[in-house]
Amino acid sequence: MASNKILFVTSEAYPLIKTGGLGDVAGSLPAALKAQRQDVRVIMPAYREAMRKAEKLGFASFQIEGIPETVRLLEGRLPGTSVRLLLVDSPAHFDRPGGPYADPDGHDWADNAERFAMFSRAATAVALNKAGLVWQPDIVHCNDWQSGLVPALLNQYPNRPATVFTIHNLAYHGQFDATKFQSLKLPEYLWGVDGLEFHGGLSFIKGGLVFADMISTVSPTYAYEIRTPHFGHGLDGLLNHRADRLVGILNGVDYKQWNPAKDPHLKHAYDAQSLEGKARNKQQLQKQSGLPQRTAAPLFGLVGRLVEQKGIDLVLSIIPQLVKADAQLVVLGSGDKGFQTELEEAAAEYPDHIAAHIGYNESLAHQIEAGADMFLMPSRFEPCGLNQIYSLRYGTAPIVRHTGGLADTVVDTTDENIKQKTATGFQFEHATHEELWWTCERAISIYRDQPKLWQQIISTGMKQDFSWKQSAKHYLELYQLALDKLGGKAARP
Ligand code: ADP
Ligand code: GLC
């Protein structure tokens, strides 16, 4: 494909700021697009934490059309890459402690509608070359509700770039009170069920779903699932209506960051040929988690947001069985206060078997991937999921529910797959205590009684290649489709 100018609009990007997988994707997909000879620039809010971590920022623009004078565009590079970075510096909205969406206590910022409307307006101005950059993108690639207003705002301009909207998680709508529609002074024609209205409120995500030239989500299975009522979060009707615009592209991962042979967060490097380092990392993880350093105990790991989506209640429900089976579990995560407390209580009750690290810790996330034998991801839904892909590379067999990207990346240990030597982990169908526990038992018994088969499963997993190259090519095809759709629209009378 010819070289396109792409504006990649995101609310987080590793290593500047990250709350979950979107940060990983925005930190690595743009570089993969650049490697495909695309002229890509990332635009993100200038959060205080991101400003601290960004290197060598300069002023790109002092005035953005239609935006108050206090807002400026800063320019730099996404650290560790040669990708150009634009930061929307609106101190009133973004220069504060805490995360991108919530305050340090985990409560959503009360002015999130204003914050991301401002961000979307600035991105829209850049997209229309009205920000003094002398650069007009051909494609604007938006991600999740925080940039959902961009395709809606751009839609009114005849010479606009093509728009792509990627759903990383349909559960988060960016839903606000209808009065915000007025106070944000959004164009009148955007109101209504064919616009941004959703059950009487204002929905940012609908901006992307209704107006983008093409829509994608982060795995083929999730692309199918979200068109059903069970996974559609009330938007399945709209997604079916736009089904000819919807595709699923599996996320890639950045093996520069996630490679046990060269991981600066690990004390002991290892690879598929020599797993000695993995055993040492396990001991290290047990020590650091206050668990007895027992080589033979199957060690389960879990890293993630502690929310309903991730099936944390199911994990809590199997703790007595895990203890009885003499297995160990190390959890790292933050989120729902109830889950946090229950995990801490379980750790206090079973100090030899359960360890709970509440909080966000990049190094520990890598150490759990390396030190655990199995990785738990019993998600109720999972658009893609990155941790199970990291687990595969770290020789840590993923135990996952058959949904979304988990279904697309993990090959279940069935008799057939064992014979074919394709098994890489364990899958189960229904989000129930029983099915999760049976699956864990299945994994534990192979781990304990069939070490050769265990080796085969993890070494097959370690050989899987989910690097970005292939997926980046699919995004190029998606961009072409968006350009074609836009061209078709312009040609119509
Ligand atoms: P989601 O985006 O739904 O949170 P993913 O599996 O796609 O799930 O991505 C989660 C990313 O966030 C992974 O890189 C994971 O290691 C990281 N992560 C989640 N919680 C934590 C935490 N408490 N500490 C460190 N990293 C975390
Ligand atoms: C979301 C999803 C996760 C996905 C990530 C990156 O947060 O929950 O499954 O991997 O976005 O696309």
Side-chain angles (χ1 to χ4, degrees), residues 19-26 144 166-170 172 217-218 222 251 305 309-310 377 379 381-389 405-406 468 475:
T19 66
L22 171 59
D24 287 342
V25 171
D144 275 354
T166 297
I167 305 164
H168 295 265
N169 196 327
L170 194 62
Y172 300 101
T217 187
V218 288
Y222 194 60
N251 282 333
R305 295 179 295 116
Q309 171 192 346
K310 303 286 177 183
M377 224 160 148
S379 308
F381 67 93
E382 195 60 75
C384 177
L386 297 173
N387 277 311
Q388 84 283 10
I389 305 181
L406 300 174
W468 269 111
Y475 275 105

Side-chain angles (χ1 to χ4, degrees), residues 424-454:
T424 59
F426 301 85
Q427 288 202 5
F428 63 101
E429 196 64 38
H430 300 105
T432 63
H433 162 84
E434 286 77 18
E435 284 199 28
L436 173 58
W437 176 241
W438 293 332
T439 313
C440 290
E441 265 189 321
R442 196 149 61 90
I444 292 173
S445 87
I446 296 178
Y447 177 82
R448 283 202 168 123
D449 306 332
Q450 295 174 268
K452 261 211 179 120
L453 174 55
W454 189 262

Side-chain angles (χ1 to χ4, degrees), residues 89 318 452:
D89 184 24
I318 62 164
K452 261 211 179 120

Side-chain angles (χ1 to χ4, degrees), residues 206-220:
K206 277 193 75 188
L209 303 184
V210 174
F211 295 101
D213 295 307
M214 287 299 295
I215 305 166
S216 73
T217 187
V218 288
S219 69

Side-chain angles (χ1 to χ4, degrees), residues 56-122:
K56 284 191 264 160
L57 290 172
F59 284 110
S61 168
F62 292 93
Q63 188 65 66
I64 311 171
E65 205 177 292
I67 305 264
E69 275 149 31
T70 47
V71 181
R72 295 167 175 190
L73 269 185
L74 304 173
E75 191 175 32
R77 304 267 164 189
L78 196 56
T81 74
S82 58
V83 173
R84 290 171 82 154
L85 170 74
L86 294 164
L87 293 177
V88 178
D89 184 24
S90 175
H93 293 105
F94 304 120
D95 184 16
R96 44 177 92 166
Y101 322 121
D103 67 19
D105 293 328
H107 301 114
D108 280 357
W109 295 110
D111 58 349
N112 270 345
E114 287 77 9
R115 297 170 77 233
F116 291 105
M118 148 64 65
F119 172 58
S120 294
R121 283 206 157 95

